[in-house]
Amino acid sequence: MTFRRIEPEKLSQAVVRQIEDLILRGVLRPGERLPAERDLSEKLGVSRPSLREAVAHLQDQGLLTARAGSGVFVAEVLGSAFSPALVRLFSTNEDAVFDYIDFRRDLEGLAAERAARMASDTDLKVIDTIYRRMEMAHRKRNPADEARLDAEFHLSIVEASHNVITLHMMRSMFELLREGVFYNRQIMFKQRATRDILLAQHGDINRALQDRDPTAAREAVAAHMDFVARCLKEQQKADKHEAVSQQRLEHEEGRRL
């Protein structure tokens, strides 16, 4: 049996491993700018040449990207979990949105249950802070902000579940939602009654998590997603009714002409 001499790890390799871990765990997000070289070398306790070597390696691996005059950023490594052709099919199929909601209901329910057990105090504070921002956006009646914070709230729960596979899968799924492939969040936030109910439901989820109640957290997520599904079904019916009415109106105008 041949043994190899153990060599001390280069500082740049330690930096690479730490940044890779932060990207994997979702602490460093796609598009996020790294601190300036001097600040980052001080935070890590390494020389600037060692840091440069690590950054160059991560750039070669496609995890970091440099922008002239702007700095070094985490690369957009997520992409979509689906091909463009499949995304187009999703956007034109009425049933796809409800399959998507069912998927989120199950996966986010598990994530919330896990977060209630495993989240750190810092994780729970982040979730609560986002919820408080949702309350502020609600008072200002800003559908765009409410929609954006809605996504951040749900993703913060997935992050707090500390499962890197679930995290990156859901981030990719939320990209499709942000692009309006499944439904437009802002539309849901335009009606006062719906906005009030959605805020209350997010409050229930937040409360269960802060109480570290796994069962209540999972049930609150399920109730929320079921409500979203009902709202979208009602919206689909209203849209179809409006389309039929418009066709009739155009037909009558055509006859009069």
Side-chain angles (χ1 to χ4, degrees), residues 104 130 134 146-156 174 177-178 185 202:
R104 282 188 55 195
I130 295 173
M134 293 178 74
E146 288 182 280
R148 175 180 55 79
L149 289 166
D150 181 289
E152 287 185 17
F153 179 82
H154 286 278
L155 279 175
S156 69
F174 269 83
L177 186 59
R178 185 181 65 83
R185 261 185 165 85
H202 287 98

Side-chain angles (χ1 to χ4, degrees), residues 192-204:
R192 177 73 191 187
T194 301
R195 291 174 60 242
D196 291 344
I197 294 172
L198 288 172
L199 183 66
Q201 290 174 346
H202 287 98
D204 291 340

Side-chain angles (χ1 to χ4, degrees), residues 170-234:
M170 291 307 297
R171 277 192 177 169
S172 178
M173 296 290 286
F174 269 83
E175 275 300 298
L176 298 181
L177 186 59
R178 185 181 65 83
E179 294 168 6
V181 172
F182 291 108
Y183 60 91
N184 190 329
R185 261 185 165 85
Q186 292 190 45
I187 292 176
M188 292 191 64
F189 282 101
K190 285 184 177 178
Q191 295 185 2
R192 177 73 191 187
T194 301
R195 291 174 60 242
D196 291 344
I197 294 172
L198 288 172
L199 183 66
Q201 290 174 346
H202 287 98
D204 291 340
I205 297 170
N206 183 50
R207 194 174 307 107
L209 290 168
Q210 302 303 325
D211 291 342
R212 294 190 177 275
D213 187 333
T215 301
R218 184 170 184 171
E219 290 176 349
V221 168
H224 170 59
M225 298 312 301
D226 288 344
F227 175 76
V228 170
R230 287 197 301 273
C231 287
L232 290 174
K233 285 179 181 177
E234 291 174 1

Side-chain angles (χ1 to χ4, degrees), residues 120-177:
S120 66
D121 291 342
T122 300
D123 291 329
L124 294 180
K125 185 176 180 180
V126 168
I127 294 169
D128 187 63
T129 298
I130 295 173
Y131 175 69
R132 301 304 167 190
R133 290 174 181 166
M134 293 178 74
E135 289 182 316
M136 292 176 61
H138 183 79
R139 289 194 291 270
K140 293 180 180 178
R141 300 186 182 184
N142 188 323
D145 282 351
E146 288 182 280
R148 175 180 55 79
L149 289 166
D150 181 289
E152 287 185 17
F153 179 82
H154 286 278
L155 279 175
S156 69
I157 294 171
V158 176
E159 289 172 352
S161 71
H162 295 287
N163 184 303
V164 296
I165 304 300
T166 303
L167 170 61
H168 288 283
M169 180 185 298
M170 291 307 297
R171 277 192 177 169
S172 178
M173 296 290 286
F174 269 83
E175 275 300 298
L176 298 181
L177 186 59

